[in-house]
Amino acid sequence: MKKVIFVICYLMIVVSCKQKNNASDDSEKTKSEAEKKVSKRDYSINATNAYSDIFFDSLQLEESIVSKNLSDTLSRRMRSFYNARNFQFAWFDSKGLTYQAFNFWNLHEYYTTYSNDQSLNDKSLKNKMNFLVADENINVNGSDKNFIKTELTLTEHFIKYLLTNYKNGEIKRKEMERFIPLKKQDALFIADSLLTKKHKDNKYYSDVNEPYKLLKVQLQKYFTIVKNNGWTMINVKSGLLKKGTSAPEIRLLKKRLEISGEMPAGDSTDLFTDGLENAIKIFQKSHGFSATGIVTSDLLKELNVTALQRLQQILINMDRMRWVFNHTEGNLIEVNIPEFILHVYEGKKEAFNMPVVVGKEGHNTTIFTGNLNQVVFSPYWNVTPSIIAKEILPAIEKNPNYLEKNNMEQTGEDENGLPVIRQLPGPKNSLGKVKFLFPNSYNIYFHDTPAKDLFNMDRRAYSHGCIRLSDPTKMATYLLRNQKEWTQQKIDEAMNAGVEQVVRLKAAIPVLITYYTAWVDANGVLNFRGDVYKHDAEIMRKMFL
């Protein structure tokens, strides 16, 4: 009997131990699986090579996770995000908000304003970001708890936004962590990693972002060009390269255009032929020049931009395309600032486009998204305080009759004692005969203009920030096409009435203001444009070795 009891006890102990071991194994397995979902901390990132120049302590992330009682999924994602960055700031550098912070906040604001999902609404964050976006002279201290709090809250919202708006697998965790560059790297290395990365589930972010996907195809082309040593610089005075002439540089020009794809292969002569003229026209059109076929000094500068610089430009713009909401149906108005063109889309099809004038450097047109919901005929121009202070008041000092001469009037004073001035509707009005409003905190809108000559220029950055339309009548007619009472005759009369009239659209239309210096157009052609506001130059300095 004692022997039986001993055996039973022994078996119970063995089973118990096995259960404990199995439980321990399961626990270790669960822990191991969780660890696989967190990127290892990248200690190779330091103050000399980091994308941002400020860092914070990892303990501050843990304190934030605990104080907010974040879910395991979100906590794990946050740890992984900052491990990959070695706890450098993502949304700030020492000079203020990063370019990606502006882009994400614009996307965030549009989503929380116009979607039914209010889970990302955070009044405190909104007030803080509105202040930071408006302040151009911020000095950020990496140890400042307020900046750390804003940084971590933005990351929390960023992760929530992606998890809400993309299906499982469309954006991988490690891919999400690289939406904001981590450190300075060789452009070829970055391109190679984007081009060769394979996913087991065969799901790729490029499949849900068409502009990004099209540009990625061109990345492969320019990766190959750079690996093959690019192209030779053409050092010659533009006047020597004329149709019908011969020169060794013409052969170089043909080879240059053959490599980038405008010139068919096979012509290695020194003669400036019809084929070369046509290739130049193709190049001019895809680089924002009038297609004249004439080699100018400005054209030579574009031709002599290195293949590596073009590769970097493609990478920068692929990054930008991550921060634009995915539009697949309904109407959309898009203005690409460096292109100086407004596009109107119906679904994925372009209905029409028109030249525009954008803000000159120092009066940059802001990149943002809004909803166009009002047409204002015969508008007043309510002059902004900065223009009043910097331009109108000095003009009044020189000529006391300045306001009367320019059909302006003072309607009061603001809280700072600055006069409130507006320009009356009429032929001299700077906004022309109509303006189009999409409410935003930047005071930017579309409008007509009496200065029509600027639309004949290739580079059209001349405004104080608002966007001037070359054909505002066409825009008004299109926007009001479903409001039958607004016939063409009535629109023309309202534009010339001299009395302001506000018309609300029955259905608002999204407006997207972008800054693409490289993109693939509707015809499948790769386009490049100049860096109007030097945004590319700043990112290149921070992103590439």
Side-chain angles (χ1 to χ4, degrees), residues 450-466:
K452 302 294 186 185
D453 292 345
L454 294 177
F455 295 109
N456 297 323
M457 304 183 71
D458 289 337
R459 304 289 187 266
R460 296 185 292 275
Y462 292 99
S463 81
H464 283 89
C466 288

Side-chain angles (χ1 to χ4, degrees), residues 315-375:
L315 287 168
I316 287 170
N317 283 277
M318 287 176 68
D319 177 78
R320 287 190 178 116
M321 288 170 180
R322 291 171 169 150
W323 304 101
V324 177
F325 76 96
N326 192 18
H327 177 266
T328 56
E329 56 185 32
N331 288 103
L332 174 71
I333 299 172
E334 180 179 358
V335 175
N336 183 22
I337 295 168
E339 186 187 9
F340 310 110
I341 295 289
L342 176 148
H343 303 266
V344 177
Y345 294 99
E346 295 174 347
K348 293 185 177 181
K349 182 182 178 183
E350 185 177 61
F352 63 90
N353 62 60
M354 67 177 70
V356 297
V357 171
V358 301
K360 57 190 172 183
E361 192 172 1
H363 295 275
N364 298 7
T365 298
T366 307
I367 303 160
F368 72 98
T369 307
N371 269 9
L372 195 158
N373 60 7
Q374 296 174 54
V375 179

Side-chain angles (χ1 to χ4, degrees), residues 22 38 48 73 99 131 189 213 242 256 338 340 368 384 414 443 473 510 514 520:
N22 288 340
V38 177
T48 61
T73 298
Y99 189 80
F131 170 77
F189 175 82
K213 182 177 185 178
K242 294 182 178 180
R256 161 68 182 84
F340 310 110
F368 72 98
T384 61
D414 65 15
N443 198 29
T473 303
T514 61
V520 177

Side-chain angles (χ1 to χ4, degrees), residues 222 225 230-238 241 249-263 272 276-289 293-310 313 459 528:
Y222 274 78
I225 291 173
W231 45 68
T232 304
M233 300 297 101
I234 303 166
N235 297 312
V236 63
K237 290 183 178 180
S238 57
L241 302 180
E249 291 81 7
I250 291 174
R251 184 170 68 254
L252 293 177
L253 177 57
K254 288 178 178 178
K255 185 62 178 177
R256 161 68 182 84
L257 292 170
E258 179 186 320
I259 292 171
S260 55
E262 292 83 10
M263 183 86 187
F272 197 125
L276 176 57
E277 181 184 49
N278 185 60
I280 290 169
K281 287 180 179 179
I282 295 171
F283 183 92
Q284 286 173 322
K285 188 175 180 181
S286 65
H287 289 70
F289 294 95
I294 299 171
V295 179
T296 63
S297 57
D298 285 340
L299 184 65
L300 282 172
K301 287 179 183 177
E302 287 295 312
L303 287 162
N304 283 333
V305 173
T306 67
L308 177 60
Q309 287 173 303
R310 292 304 188 197
Q313 201 172 349
R459 304 289 187 266
F528 290 108

Side-chain angles (χ1 to χ4, degrees), residues 263-277:
M263 183 86 187
D267 186 346
S268 58
T269 67
D270 293 347
L271 180 64
F272 197 125
T273 61
D274 289 340
L276 176 57
E277 181 184 49

